[in-house]
Amino acid sequence: MHFSDNYKEIRGVLKSYGLLALVYLMFAAVFFWPVFDGRLPGIGGDAYQSAWELWWVSYATFVLHTNPYFTNYVLYPVGASLITQTMAPIAGIVSAPLEAIGSAAALNFTFLLGFMLSGIFAYALIFYITHNKMASFLGGFVYAFSPIHVVQALGHLQYTNIEFIPLFLLFFLKLADEKKQKYALYAAISFVLLTFMGDIEQALMTIVLLFFIIVYMLLRKQERHKIANLRFLVLFLELVVLTAVIGSPGFVSIATHLSNETLATVNAQAGLQYNELYSPDLASFFTPSLTNGLLRSIPQSNIRIYKNDPAETTSYVGYVVMLVAAYALYADYKKERLRNIGMFAFALFFLLWLTIGPYLWVNGTLTKIPGIYLLYSKIPFFNVLREPGRFDVVAELMLAILFAYGLVELQKNISSYKEYVMPVAFVILLVEYFAMPTSIAMVNSEFSSTHIPKAYYELAKLPGKSTILLLPTATNYANATVPNLYPGLSLYYQTAFKKPIIGGYTTRENATQLFSISNIPLVASAYYLETGQGLVYASPIIENYTNVTKFLLAAYNTTFVGVIRQAYTPSELENLSSYLYSVFGAPVYESNTTIIFSTVQALKNVSKTTVAYSPVLVDSYASVWQPGWLICSNPVTCNSTFQSMWWGVNPAFVEIYAPKQENLTISMNAMSYGTTASEYIYFDDRIVRLLQLSPKPSSIIMNVTALPGLNPLVFEPASNYQNLGIRNLTVSLQG
């Protein structure tokens, strides 16, 4: 084909699809009008994280000239691998010009684009199958505005752009039908786009979908000839090779930062209990979404089926879609023995079986009815897709195909009023898929503010490579609705000041990353304050923790500490700001949302010979060392001595920092919980002492030599598991 012919073909396609694009875009604009009113789609940390991801890809690629799949701009100084993050790198590049306006504009553009293109490409796929424009339009609407897409897109960047899944399937089907080389190329490009305009999870679920399609074609005699031949096998191999070549920049970037630690973190967060928690309830398939502005009261009356996370457990299909899809199966079976839509029904069956998770939930109760996700979760790396309900995205595509086919068959088989079939179906569909907020309360619960305090833009102008600490930094698990709200907000503010932050968050963090922030006394104390436990610090140490904070902030080259006001009650904010004033002096900026302190003067004279030390909180904040007055519940042991101790879960850690080799004296009072116990004390991986502890505190004094840098002091039971209590731990220089 000559270039002029290609040009005419492309121009014809663009012209015919232009009006369709405008219609889908119009629905997206109406349903999600708050994005035009200075808001981000979604609430909580994920919404802000999505905006940050677009900014980070653009900033890393065009400014830092570095691999966007790793960053030390968050969780500084450890940094984070973003391989298993919700990143969409191509979306970041496509939306890069809009970063000049702001990250909110970039995200909202990507958001609306995702709905428009999802409709267009689903239309193209369905038209190839049905050859009916109106049915294809309605099928495209089902896929683009399905409740699973809406609820996932509200906060999840990677599930905004699901448009390339139907495009890939279209070119694969054309490849099987026509055996033309160009479709291998187009399918490869589509797969790369769905992987990097979406994310790794989309690639995995598309592979799963393709697996079921191929299995069906091999099993069915009438379809087998399409793929069981040398020509197709050669073209399919070309598809795989072209995908690897075209996607090599992304695949190589991923491979560069793929490590055992990354996979270990994924595996740790993909256990059966987690999978069950984020599996949709059977009732959710028949219950309108919480994002439906017209029918919202129905799911609110049965809120337990969502298990505290509607984003992962919404699977509403819509009654009109289910009924028409069921009719499609009946009509095609009666006429063609499912020759036309059998492969899509086959894939749908197994995708829905995957969607229910390891075991089926029924109206809030976990049954023993197994799902094939039990097998899927055993496949290495595929368990990155740890929320089974997300398979509903590709299941919805299969339903959209069946729905459109069913409409065509209904129109053929109804003798009278057949011209009303599709309009009536569309009206019902609009009601069932209605996604427009109908009240200010809905707007506030589904969209986030895009305001960034002006001071953060001024910080971007300051020279140097200093870091910034924003409080609160820690994930607040006490706030089950939006636990990562403020770490996510810190990420969003970073798009303005463009400097590394102590904290922030990534989707899958590990213990080393958590330690990088939790060992700062100020961070841990602010976390306790945010969770209503007062200005305390989970540590058995007796050093003025201000010295430890100063030492670490100086080590991290932190020049500003910011406070997000809305994270705290007025009394908590007064306590925190008063303490920061005493340490850093008067704030350099203050507004109704933010307070910012400069650390420059306070850190200027941090002693280089001071020994600083703090506990390590490994599993989560406040889980390793806890003050006795917080965990005191047993009236027998809950006495004044017990309350004054800091209790560590064995093995328990304290880290000691020495700027140079130092001879130190460590002293403390230690006791065991309830009975006698033997306890080893390790210092810098060397056994220093075997203690025989009782429920009565005993005085311990040890002389050790600290090496420059970090020296772990570890308490580990010699035999049975025991809780260890410590108070008055001090470290001093010998002599």
Side-chain angles (χ1 to χ4, degrees):
M1 183 179 288
H2 296 293
F3 174 78
S4 59
D5 294 331
N6 278 326
Y7 175 74
K8 290 179 181 178
E9 181 181 350
I10 293 172
R11 187 178 63 178
V13 169
L14 292 177
K15 184 177 180 180
S16 62
Y17 277 78
L19 179 60
L20 186 66
L22 288 175
V23 173
Y24 284 130
L25 182 60
M26 179 195 71
F27 277 109
V30 171
F31 283 164
F32 310 115
W33 63 264
V35 301
F36 298 103
D37 191 33
R39 292 176 180 269
L40 290 176
I43 59 170
D46 285 347
Y48 292 119
Q49 184 189 48
S50 293
W52 177 87
E53 286 166 345
L54 292 176
W55 168 80
W56 170 248
V57 169
S58 173
Y59 193 71
T61 303
F62 301 117
V63 178
L64 300 179
H65 306 294
T66 189
N67 187 337
Y69 277 101
F70 180 83
T71 180
N72 63 0
Y73 267 58
V74 300
L75 296 169
Y76 185 89
V78 176
S81 169
L82 302 179
I83 293 171
T84 57
Q85 181 81 345
T86 56
M87 265 220 320
I90 292 180
I93 293 172
V94 170
S95 63
L98 290 167
E99 291 291 345
I101 302 174
S103 296
L107 177 60
N108 289 338
F109 165 79
T110 306
F111 180 80
L112 295 174
L113 183 70
F115 282 91
M116 181 185 75
L117 292 181
S118 294
I120 290 174
F121 293 151
Y123 170 92
L125 168 64
I126 297 170
F127 184 75
Y128 180 72
I129 297 165
T130 65
H131 307 291
N132 184 294
K133 290 184 178 180
M134 187 60 186
S136 300
F137 166 75
L138 295 181
F141 186 91
V142 167
Y143 181 67
F145 297 99
S146 62
I148 181 64
H149 187 201
V150 171
V151 76
Q152 284 286 348
L154 290 173
H156 292 162
L157 171 64
Q158 78 278 26
Y159 279 100
T160 295
N161 295 93
I162 59 172
E163 62 267 27
F164 294 108
I165 299 176
L167 192 64
F168 170 81
L169 183 56
L170 169 63
F171 290 132
F172 175 81
L173 294 178
K174 286 191 172 186
L175 180 66
D177 290 339
E178 302 178 34
K179 312 292 189 300
K180 292 183 179 179
Q181 196 170 37
K182 66 178 182 179
Y183 293 128
L185 173 62
Y186 297 161
I189 293 172
S190 300
F191 191 87
V192 171
L193 287 171
L194 71 87
T195 303
F196 298 110
M197 187 78 172
D199 72 341
I200 295 296
E201 290 188 1
Q202 281 195 43
L204 296 177
M205 66 172 58
T206 302
I207 291 172
V208 171
L209 169 62
L210 186 61
F211 171 79
F212 292 133
I213 293 291
I214 291 175
V215 167
Y216 177 86
M217 295 178 79
L218 289 173
L219 290 175
R220 185 162 182 125
K221 185 177 180 180
Q222 296 91 329
E223 302 288 336
R224 192 180 306 148
H225 70 280
K226 293 182 179 180
I227 62 174
N229 59 77
L230 183 60
R231 175 62 177 167
F232 176 81
L233 291 176
V234 170
L235 289 173
F236 187 78
L237 182 60
E238 284 188 23
L239 189 163
V240 174
V241 172
L242 286 169
T243 299
V245 173
I246 297 170
S248 58
F251 295 134
V252 170
S253 296
I254 290 174
T256 301
H257 290 288
L258 187 64
S259 64
N260 290 332
E261 182 181 38
T262 300
L263 292 177
T265 303
V266 170
N267 292 333
Q269 298 182 8
L272 185 63
Q273 185 177 8
Y274 188 100
N275 300 145
E276 289 174 352
L277 181 63
Y278 293 102
S279 298
D281 195 293
L282 181 63
S284 72
F285 289 90
F286 304 93
T287 305
S289 171
L290 284 164
T291 61
N292 189 309
L294 297 177
L295 307 176
R296 185 182 179 89
S297 61
I298 298 175
Q300 284 179 328
S301 65
N302 194 20
I303 198 70
R304 67 181 181 278
I305 67 175
Y306 297 109
K307 299 186 288 293
N308 296 324
D309 194 346
E312 304 300 346
T313 51
T314 292
S315 298
Y316 184 60
V317 172
Y319 289 93
V320 67
V321 173
M322 286 190 290
L323 292 174
V324 174
Y327 180 79
L329 293 174
Y330 165 77
D332 195 38
Y333 180 80
K334 185 177 180 181
K335 182 174 64 175
E336 298 277 359
R337 297 292 178 179
L338 293 179
R339 182 176 180 178
N340 295 305
I341 58 173
M343 72 172 69
F344 310 116
F346 180 84
L348 174 63
F349 172 79
F350 286 100
L351 290 170
L352 289 176
W353 200 1
L354 272 171
T355 298
I356 67 170
Y359 296 96
L360 178 65
W361 288 86
V362 179
N363 206 27
T365 301
L366 185 63
T367 72
K368 295 298 182 181
I369 302 173
I372 56 174
Y373 193 90
L374 282 169
L375 299 176
Y376 173 86
S377 63
K378 304 298 181 184
I379 305 174
F381 191 71
F382 275 70
N383 61 2
V384 166
L385 210 168
R386 56 186 179 166
E387 292 88 355
R390 294 184 178 185
F391 276 106
D392 193 41
V393 170
V394 280
E396 193 76 32
L397 179 59
M398 299 300 98
L399 280 165
I401 294 171
L402 300 184
F403 173 69
Y405 186 86
L407 289 175
V408 174
E409 291 301 308
L410 270 173
Q411 206 169 44
K412 286 180 182 178
N413 297 328
I414 292 179
S415 57
S416 57
Y417 305 111
K418 62 181 180 180
E419 66 272 17
Y420 295 107
V421 168
M422 293 192 192
V424 169
F426 189 34
V427 170
I428 298 172
L429 193 63
L430 281 174
V431 173
E432 294 199 291
Y433 281 27
F434 191 83
M436 185 173 73
T438 55
S439 68
I440 295 300
M442 279 192 71
V443 172
N444 292 335
S445 67
E446 294 174 8
F447 294 85
S448 299
S449 169
T450 58
H451 172 71
I452 298 179
K454 294 181 180 179
Y456 290 122
Y457 292 101
E458 295 300 318
L459 294 183
K461 301 175 184 178
L462 299 177
K465 297 181 179 180
S466 60
T467 66
I468 293 175
L469 170 63
L470 296 181
L471 300 174
T473 297
T475 298
N476 180 5
Y477 293 107
N479 186 351
T481 306
V482 282
N484 285 311
L485 174 60
Y486 299 114
L489 193 56
S490 297
L491 292 177
Y492 182 60
Y493 287 168
Q494 187 186 48
T495 66
F497 58 73
K498 300 176 174 61
K499 297 182 185 296
I501 55 175
I502 313 293
Y505 89 103
T506 59
T507 303
R508 295 164 174 88
E509 299 162 346
N510 58 47
T512 303
Q513 293 164 332
L514 293 177
F515 167 68
S516 70
I517 54 176
S518 66
N519 69 343
I520 303 174
L522 177 58
V523 169
S525 188
Y527 166 78
Y528 271 82
L529 191 66
E530 183 192 8
T531 55
Q533 300 177 63
L535 194 63
V536 299
Y537 179 47
S539 172
I541 65 177
I542 286 185
E543 168 142 351
N544 178 344
Y545 75 39
T546 298
N547 292 339
V548 185
T549 291
K550 286 183 177 181
F551 184 95
L552 291 170
L553 292 184
Y556 292 168
N557 194 25
T558 303
T559 52
F560 291 93
V561 173
V563 179
I564 300 173
R565 281 179 174 270
Q566 57 266 40
Y568 306 101
T569 66
S571 61
E572 291 169 350
L573 183 63
E574 182 179 1
N575 286 335
L576 180 60
S577 57
S578 296
Y579 169 71
L580 292 173
Y581 185 97
S582 69
V583 177
F584 302 117
V588 295
Y589 175 83
E590 194 166 0
S591 70
N592 60 353
T593 60
T594 300
I595 308 173
I596 299 177
F597 295 85
S598 171
T599 68
V600 176
Q601 291 299 321
L603 302 184
K604 185 178 294 185
N605 298 316
V606 172
S607 172
K608 301 302 181 184
T609 60
T610 298
V611 176
Y613 47 100
S614 61
V616 182
L617 309 177
V618 176
D619 297 323
S620 63
Y621 302 99
S623 69
V624 174
W625 289 106
Q626 293 208 51
W629 51 268
L630 275 181
I631 61 176
C632 212
S633 59
N634 188 327
V636 176
T637 60
C638 194
N639 52 41
S640 59
T641 301
F642 185 97
Q643 292 183 41
S644 67
M645 307 296 284
W646 287 87
W647 292 90
V649 177
N650 286 309
F653 299 77
V654 170
E655 299 286 3
I656 296 177
Y657 300 84
K660 60 182 180 179
Q661 183 169 316
E662 303 275 15
N663 294 321
L664 308 176
T665 296
I666 301 175
S667 63
M668 73 192 84
N669 293 325
M671 63 181 283
S672 63
Y673 178 80
T675 184
T676 58
S678 299
E679 193 87 16
Y680 282 113
I681 296 183
Y682 293 83
F683 184 78
D684 201 19
D685 295 328
R686 304 185 305 275
I687 296 178
V688 177
R689 184 81 61 85
L690 175 61
L691 303 179
Q692 301 298 331
L693 299 178
S694 70
K696 182 178 179 180
S698 58
S699 178
I700 311 296
I701 299 176
M702 302 177 300
N703 292 321
V704 298
T705 299
L707 300 177
L710 192 66
N711 296 264
L713 179 64
V714 182
F715 303 88
E716 187 169 329
S719 54
N720 295 331
Y721 175 91
Q722 291 290 332
N723 282 337
L724 168 75
I726 291 178
R727 70 181 178 192
N728 299 344
L729 189 150
T730 61
V731 177
S732 59
L733 297 174
Q734 292 182 27

